[in-house]
Amino acid sequence: MTPNNKTDQMNIVIVGHVDHGKSTLIGRLLADTGSLPEGKLDQIKAMCEINSKPFEYAFLLDALKDERAQGITIDTARSFFKTEKRHYIIIDAPGHIEFLKNMITGAARAEAALLLIDANEGVKENSRRHGYMLSMLGIKQVIVLVNKMDLVNYDPEVYSKIVDEYTQFLAQIHVTPKTFIPIAAREGENIASKSTKMPWYAGESVLSLIDDFEKEKEKDNQPFRMPVQDIYKFTEQNDDRRIVAGTIETGSITVGTPIIFHPSGKKSTIKSIEVFNAAAKQKAGVGGAVGFTLTEELYIKPGELMCTQNELQPKVGSKFRANIFWLGKAPMIKDKKYKIKLGAARGNAYLADVVTVLDASSLVSDTQKIKIDRNDVAECIIETIRPIAFDLNHDIETLGRFVIIDDYEIAGGGIVTEKISDENTVEKGAERRNFTWTKSKISPEKRARNMGQRPCLLLIIGKQETEKYDLGVALEEALFNQGKTVYFLGISNMLLSMNRDARRRNTEDRDEHIRQIGEIAHIMADAGTIMISAISEIEDTEASTLKSLVNPYMVKIIANGNTDLYDQKADLIIDTQASVQDRVKTIIDFLNSEETFNPKEI
Amino acid sequence: MNQLDKLEAQSVYLLREAYKEFKSLCMLWSVGKDSTVMLWLTRKAFFGHVPIPLVHIDTHYKIPEMIRYRDAIALEWKLTMIYGENKTALDTKQTFPDGAIDRISCCKALKSDALKHTLSGTWPRYKLNHDTQKYDLDTNTAPYTGVIVGARADEEGSRSKERYFSPRDKQNDWDVGDQPPEFWNQYKTDFPPGTHIRIHPLLDWTELNIWEYIERENIPITDLYFDQGEGKRYRSLGCYPCTTPVESTATTVTEVVNELRTGKFANIAERSGRAQDKEDGGGLETLRREGYM
Ligand SMILES: Nc1nc2c(ncn2[C@@H]2O[C@H](COP(=O)(O)OP(=O)(O)O)[C@@H](O)[C@H]2O)c(=O)[nH]1
Ligand SMILES: [Mg+2]
């Protein structure tokens, strides 16, 4: 980076208990670095005079009227200043507990933090809570500023007492601050230059110490991870590329690298790295918002996690242990369906168990609590409805954290600490269902022999909507005329084509519909019937879900023409050029070859 | 990655997130430098395509070059180009230049009201026909529920409190005191019917970043930002009755970048040439609450 060309920039957040001087410090930093718009300071001072209010630096930042009236920082205002070394964006995070979500919003954008403690008031509840939140948010560089030293006559004793007490607290949550600085923000002591009022303090001023914060190291040498944000195909614009798009969280990748998507487990190889208006790239690295084409076109949905095949693989499962902070108005409770977002994945999740609820300011834990209240921090077990790909937070930070949505709002955030083996998958559910099912006196074998057919689900897949519907109906009729017990379920078309727009398909709904079709097919097969159904496309995971639901009966997948989206081999692929009658015949031949009718042995 | 690469990647991420999550999405294009950079970033995000309609609010007091430039780019980049206006106010001359109302009320009528009704589809929208190169009445009157806006946090105090994804209720109201949390690149993309979301992909860009990026990417930008020989150029574009140029002899993007780097305007607000900001003690904030961008 040539210093004169590009500007180096760093985001710093200022946190601390209310009234401990955050806004004052920022105002002072802006004033002392000459970063205020011309006349702004005078304008605010004049306004104070008119209203006969004592001037506050905070007014500078409180640009919004209603904030000025209330006198507290509601939101995380951003201000800009620069030192010789770089540009800074300073984020003022509100200290009021009601505004914890704003504090988090501000802090999450920062690479480093300044935490203020009032020398006169000492360590308060939010001094501790904010310290804890910084560690959960993953902000590792922290300087603690002991403010308002003027109120305690610049007494080193007061200062070192606070330093000791707070260092002890931070040690419990595994945070080591870079340093402590005694300051008086309003008076400008130890802000831009070293104070003469505190000769006992050997360190540097705030401005010079923040220049020592390090830029976050790029996570180039971690395993490659890219949450698939979306899949693009702009066919209308005569563009045939099918582009897998996302932002690279960790690692790097080159053209030709074998890759795998989780949780689907689909594999392919990078064919190209797509860029607009620039030379083609061979390599893409951390932070890039990129797009790839693949050598084999897979049916991949947004939300999958793209990884290389030969590096550490993420975990795939539906149960994990997590530390959560809760911001929601309503508490987080068991048996309520929440939405989870982790990387690009979205799904539904439940709070399976609360292990302990921690008071983030006192660090006292409560193991009796069964819900997580607003502003609580808790260790808990989260269970997702469908399997999700993730990493442990201490392995790969950004894929080991998630947010929880409750009633349209982001209500909590959490970091994943451990994967837990799960028993609640569809397969396990189907096994349990088969186990608890009251058994009929007529065994499936007896029934099959008696009816002269082995029941199954015949699933016709293919792109042309009406065609495969016609085929299904014709097949039903042909089999019926041969005296078979057969039923065409037209409803799956309806269920699954409701969200045909693949880009915005609602995965949860689709999962539920697949499950319904599977359950219906299971009942029909249990009654001895051959069920025929048609849907436009099916994923490997969906096919295997169906198979486990219909088990012990068979699912036969019949592809009406080549379906490039279905990459697991279909049981039968039929030629779409042939007439419907011919295709029906091909299917019946296939069923005969599989000994579906008049089975000798079952 | 340098600073511009990072800003670019973040904006692309936000644009893709918006495109994925909102069915009825549009992007406001004032044809100024910021929203033009945003449009360019959209082409980056979607590999040369712009799958999002562009909405322009025509106050009819825009400097005429701006409209010519808008249509030229729209045709060249194959944009779905929509404009809306406050026809009644214009027809009855309820505007500041006609002397009937003050600047703030004029802004409210020609911009905020026009915008509100264009977005909701209650006033006519006009869509560029790429064959005839003329605007036709748009038959789509469905409201836009996601609106992408090129606001930057460093522009003005009230903008520094924006979220990347910022909900507005039916009345376009912005509840500054109760905004959704945003962290770990997760944003509010779930919302009840009746609300809509403003998306701000340029929130973290500064004026200098914008110009550095225009220079790096060679983005076509209207000439009004450059000195045409009179020692003046526009730093922020608005309606001509309310916009005054700054003293500057910069005639190229590079000269603008260098001028900004010297800190020449460090102590002068970027929008200081926009007269409406100064009225009412907090003009822009009042306007923003009512839906101004
Ligand atoms: N005596 C003294 N007062 C200060 C100092 N810094 C801030 N204050 C005052 O403390 C009060 C709260 O400050 P403010 O910056 O608004 O706190 P915030 O709530 O953390 O943003 C204001 O009245 C400030 O003037 C300081 O160094 N010395
Ligand atoms: Mg404050």
Side-chain angles (χ1 to χ4, degrees):
Chain A
M1 199 180 289
T2 42
N4 211 13
N5 193 14
K6 300 290 179 316
T7 40
D8 191 9
Q9 190 173 298
M10 178 177 267
N11 290 354
I12 291 190
V13 66
I14 304 200
V15 298
H17 199 77
V18 64
D19 279 347
H20 282 199
K22 294 176 294 297
S23 302
T24 307
L25 174 66
I26 296 169
R28 193 76 218 196
L29 284 170
L30 295 183
D32 290 359
T33 51
S35 312
L36 293 171
E38 211 171 71
K40 183 106 175 178
L41 192 59
D42 293 336
Q43 180 198 333
I44 305 278
K45 280 185 172 161
M47 196 192 71
C48 289
E49 206 145 311
I50 295 169
N51 299 327
S52 48
K53 275 200 301 193
F55 166 75
E56 289 283 356
Y57 277 102
F59 296 155
L60 270 174
L61 309 169
D62 298 351
L64 293 177
K65 286 186 209 160
D66 68 346
E67 232 191 281
R68 216 168 281 162
Q70 282 188 23
I72 49 173
T73 309
I74 300 175
D75 206 332
T76 54
R78 273 171 273 196
S79 347
F80 298 77
F81 74 89
K82 68 174 193 229
T83 63
E84 303 245 305
K85 181 160 175 182
R86 62 187 157 215
H87 288 242
Y88 287 95
I89 298 179
I90 289 278
I91 304 161
D92 181 14
H96 264 247
I97 183 139
E98 300 95 274
F99 306 128
L100 188 62
K101 65 177 184 177
N102 294 340
M103 177 266 163
I104 286 165
T105 302
R109 286 174 184 162
E111 294 156 86
L114 300 176
L115 191 147
L116 271 120
I117 299 174
D118 184 326
N120 201 32
E121 281 199 19
V123 177
K124 296 295 268 211
E125 186 190 343
N126 278 326
S127 319
R128 286 189 288 251
R129 180 175 276 109
H130 286 181
Y132 194 91
M133 291 314 306
L134 292 177
S135 89
M136 273 201 77
L137 289 168
I139 295 157
K140 292 173 186 82
Q141 307 191 75
V142 184
I143 290 180
V144 183
L145 304 175
V146 181
N147 188 30
K148 307 193 191 179
M149 287 299 293
D150 56 314
L151 294 183
V152 296
N153 299 318
Y154 301 102
D155 183 352
E157 298 270 306
V158 178
Y159 173 70
S160 63
K161 256 183 75 185
I162 290 174
V163 171
D164 288 347
E165 181 185 347
Y166 202 66
T167 306
Q168 260 181 38
F169 169 80
L170 290 178
Q172 288 179 71
I173 53 172
H174 312 291
V175 173
T176 317
K178 277 188 98 70
T179 185
F180 284 78
I181 313 176
I183 62 166
R186 203 177 61 186
E187 317 304 318
E189 300 298 333
N190 274 339
I191 304 296
S193 56
K194 279 208 66 172
S195 164
T196 52
K197 302 239 166 58
M198 293 171 274
W200 46 265
Y201 168 70
E204 295 298 318
S205 68
V206 174
L207 268 185
S208 93
L209 284 166
I210 58 174
D211 274 347
D212 288 346
F213 279 135
E214 286 157 34
K215 287 298 287 181
E216 207 181 316
K217 287 191 196 62
E218 292 186 347
K219 305 156 192 130
D220 251 329
N221 41 22
Q222 285 190 291
F224 176 83
R225 295 283 188 269
M226 188 192 84
V228 177
Q229 196 176 4
D230 216 337
I231 317 284
Y232 301 125
K233 195 162 181 176
F234 297 103
T235 332
E236 322 88 74
Q237 277 83 37
N238 294 321
D239 185 344
D240 282 336
R241 292 174 297 176
R242 185 181 170 82
I243 302 175
V244 179
T247 299
I248 302 174
E249 291 289 349
T250 53
S252 62
I253 199 156
T254 54
V255 170
T257 307
I259 49 143
I260 177 165
F261 294 89
H262 290 291
S264 72
K266 292 185 186 181
K267 293 177 180 174
S268 191
T269 302
I270 302 285
K271 183 169 154 198
S272 67
I273 298 171
E274 296 295 321
V275 280
F276 162 70
N277 198 43
K281 289 208 294 189
Q282 290 301 308
K283 183 178 173 175
V286 173
V290 291
F292 301 102
T293 65
L294 307 177
T295 51
E296 300 89 40
E297 294 212 332
L298 300 177
Y299 176 47
I300 297 291
K301 282 189 298 192
E304 296 241 21
L305 183 58
M306 180 171 151
C307 306
T308 48
Q309 288 179 22
N310 52 12
E311 289 175 296
L312 173 80
Q313 297 299 296
K315 315 249 180 270
V316 175
S318 47
K319 209 169 183 182
F320 53 77
R321 185 182 299 272
N323 289 335
I324 278 202
F325 53 85
W326 194 250
L327 310 166
K329 291 191 183 96
M332 190 183 196
I333 51 172
K334 289 190 200 177
D335 298 323
K336 182 173 175 186
K337 190 155 122 187
Y338 295 97
K339 181 171 167 185
I340 185 170
K341 294 190 188 180
L342 188 158
R346 277 111 182 81
N348 286 338
Y350 288 92
L351 172 64
D353 202 10
V354 184
V355 182
T356 49
V357 174
L358 193 69
D359 183 325
S361 63
S362 65
L363 295 185
V364 171
S365 59
D366 180 344
T367 52
Q368 301 306 308
K369 242 178 132 162
I370 50 159
K371 57 177 183 148
I372 308 172
D373 283 311
R374 190 176 197 184
N375 299 326
D376 276 350
V377 179
E379 183 185 331
C380 60
I381 311 292
I382 299 289
E383 201 168 321
T384 57
I385 290 182
R386 85 178 334 226
I388 189 169
F390 60 89
D391 284 286
L392 303 187
N393 189 262
H394 69 253
D395 290 337
I396 295 181
E397 189 176 34
T398 56
L399 286 155
R401 58 197 189 189
F402 58 91
V403 299
I404 298 283
I405 317 291
D406 182 18
D407 192 25
Y408 305 112
E409 304 289 344
I410 294 182
I415 58 179
V416 181
T417 55
E418 184 192 349
K419 177 182 188 266
I420 295 175
S421 67
D422 41 336
E423 269 130 41
N424 241 1
T425 56
V426 178
E427 286 77 7
K428 296 262 169 52
E431 269 169 35
R432 269 204 301 274
R433 174 254 278 145
N434 285 354
F435 185 73
T436 50
W437 201 282
T438 309
K439 292 280 180 302
S440 156
K441 287 231 171 92
I442 304 151
S443 71
E445 293 77 16
K446 229 190 233 172
R447 200 186 298 272
R449 229 171 289 136
N450 196 282
M451 295 174 73
Q453 63 177 43
R454 261 200 279 224
C456 62
L457 167 65
L458 296 178
L459 193 65
I460 304 174
I461 60 169
K463 277 187 276 200
Q464 284 92 358
E465 194 62 41
T466 52
E467 258 229 287
K468 65 179 183 288
Y469 182 85
D470 292 347
L471 182 61
V473 173
L475 179 64
E476 182 194 30
E477 193 183 20
L479 289 172
F480 181 82
N481 289 340
Q482 292 182 15
K484 311 299 179 212
T485 307
V486 58
Y487 180 73
F488 178 79
L489 180 80
I491 197 172
S492 34
N493 245 339
M494 219 186 72
L495 286 177
L496 288 173
S497 56
M498 283 196 307
N499 297 303
R500 292 223 34 225
D501 182 358
R503 191 160 78 71
R504 301 200 170 85
R505 187 190 343 264
N506 184 333
T507 339
E508 298 291 332
D509 286 353
R510 190 173 159 98
D511 279 0
E512 180 57 19
H513 297 150
I514 289 282
R515 204 190 57 74
Q516 285 170 3
I517 293 168
E519 291 290 356
I520 295 170
H522 178 83
I523 294 172
M524 298 287 270
D526 216 43
T529 310
I530 293 173
M531 183 171 120
I532 305 168
S533 209
I535 61 177
S536 42
E537 57 195 32
I538 190 160
E539 270 190 80
D540 294 6
T541 47
E542 292 170 343
S544 72
T545 299
L546 274 180
K547 284 177 180 165
S548 28
L549 287 169
V550 179
N551 186 47
Y553 310 103
M554 299 298 286
V555 177
K556 309 267 184 219
I557 294 179
I558 298 164
N560 187 34
N562 274 318
T563 56
D564 53 314
L565 291 182
Y566 180 64
D567 51 316
Q568 194 182 67
K569 209 176 150 300
D571 298 284
L572 175 69
I573 297 175
I574 48 176
D575 184 6
T576 42
Q577 302 302 313
S579 68
V580 172
Q581 282 95 324
D582 287 349
R583 275 180 275 165
V584 167
K585 190 174 173 303
T586 313
I587 299 174
I588 296 181
D589 289 348
F590 162 76
L591 294 175
N592 279 321
S593 74
E594 298 265 295
E595 294 184 22
T596 310
F597 307 118
N598 303 316
K600 290 178 214 81
E601 240 175 84
I602 299 180
Chain B
M1 287 178 104
N2 63 35
Q3 187 60 28
L4 285 184
D5 295 332
K6 283 184 186 160
L7 287 168
E8 176 189 82
Q10 187 204 30
S11 301
V12 165
Y13 175 82
L14 291 162
L15 287 164
R16 287 176 176 170
E17 201 68 1
Y19 179 61
K20 183 175 66 180
E21 301 281 355
F22 294 95
K23 273 198 180 65
S24 185
L25 182 68
C26 73
M27 178 180 288
L28 297 187
W29 185 29
S30 72
V31 312
K33 63 189 190 314
D34 299 329
S35 53
T36 304
V37 162
M38 185 161 75
L39 175 55
W40 186 265
L41 289 162
T42 309
R43 300 177 86 206
K44 287 248 174 182
F46 306 106
F47 306 96
H49 304 286
V50 182
I52 303 166
L54 279 300
V55 171
H56 180 84
I57 297 305
D58 195 345
T59 62
H60 296 271
Y61 285 102
K62 294 278 170 181
I63 302 160
E65 277 100 311
M66 291 170 72
I67 303 297
R68 278 199 293 276
Y69 161 86
R70 176 192 78 190
D71 291 346
I73 294 275
L75 289 169
E76 190 187 332
W77 293 356
K78 304 191 171 50
L79 307 178
T80 306
M81 186 71 227
I82 311 275
Y83 83 80
E85 63 192 4
N86 187 341
K87 194 163 181 331
T88 319
L90 289 164
D91 287 353
T92 59
K93 300 200 182 304
Q94 292 296 308
T95 67
F96 169 73
D98 286 311
I101 51 176
D102 64 17
R103 289 182 207 270
I104 295 275
S105 311
C106 180
C107 259
K108 182 178 177 313
L110 295 191
K111 288 190 180 170
S112 309
D113 292 349
L115 179 71
K116 197 186 300 185
H117 290 98
T118 303
L119 292 180
S120 67
T122 45
W123 285 359
R125 295 173 184 160
Y126 301 91
K127 183 176 173 180
L128 181 61
N129 179 327
H130 283 254
D131 297 326
T132 62
Q133 313 206 340
K134 299 235 148 46
Y135 283 84
D136 303 334
L137 188 67
D138 189 7
T139 49
N140 170 22
T141 56
Y144 292 113
T145 50
V147 183
I148 309 177
V149 185
R152 302 189 337 261
D154 75 327
E155 273 174 285
E156 203 274 338
S158 69
R159 291 191 179 187
S160 72
K161 315 225 160 179
E162 279 286 8
R163 294 290 197 257
Y164 300 111
F165 281 68
S166 173
R168 301 291 205 270
D169 67 16
K170 277 201 189 71
Q171 280 69 46
N172 264 314
D173 275 346
W174 179 35
D175 188 350
V176 195
D178 186 21
Q179 299 203 69
E182 285 184 339
F183 51 97
W184 299 340
N185 292 333
Q186 303 287 6
Y187 307 104
K188 180 175 169 69
T189 50
D190 301 84
F191 61 107
T195 45
H196 69 267
I197 299 267
R198 295 251 172 108
I199 300 128
H200 302 112
L202 297 185
L203 210 53
D204 292 339
W205 294 62
T206 62
E207 185 185 9
L208 177 58
N209 293 149
I210 291 284
W211 282 106
E212 285 174 336
Y213 192 69
I214 290 170
E215 184 184 32
R216 182 179 101 172
E217 300 284 319
N218 209 359
I219 303 172
I221 214 84
T222 154
D223 284 345
L224 296 164
Y225 285 110
F226 309 117
D227 173 26
Q228 308 292 330
E230 286 161 29
K232 287 178 181 356
R233 68 175 191 87
Y234 287 98
R235 203 173 152 208
S236 170
L237 292 181
C239 298
Y240 54 82
C242 297
T243 309
T244 49
V246 293
E247 304 281 323
S248 166
T249 53
T251 56
T252 62
V253 176
T254 310
E255 285 173 21
V256 172
V257 169
N258 290 337
E259 181 181 72
L260 289 171
R261 283 210 189 109
T262 61
K264 175 173 170 184
F265 298 124
N267 294 325
I268 305 168
E270 184 181 347
R271 292 176 57 96
S272 60
R274 307 280 285 272
Q276 70 270 30
D277 291 17
K278 296 184 182 116
E279 294 193 359
D280 175 28
L284 192 57
E285 190 207 324
T286 312
L287 284 168
R288 279 175 75 69
R289 272 175 198 280
E290 287 167 357
Y292 183 83
M293 299 295 161

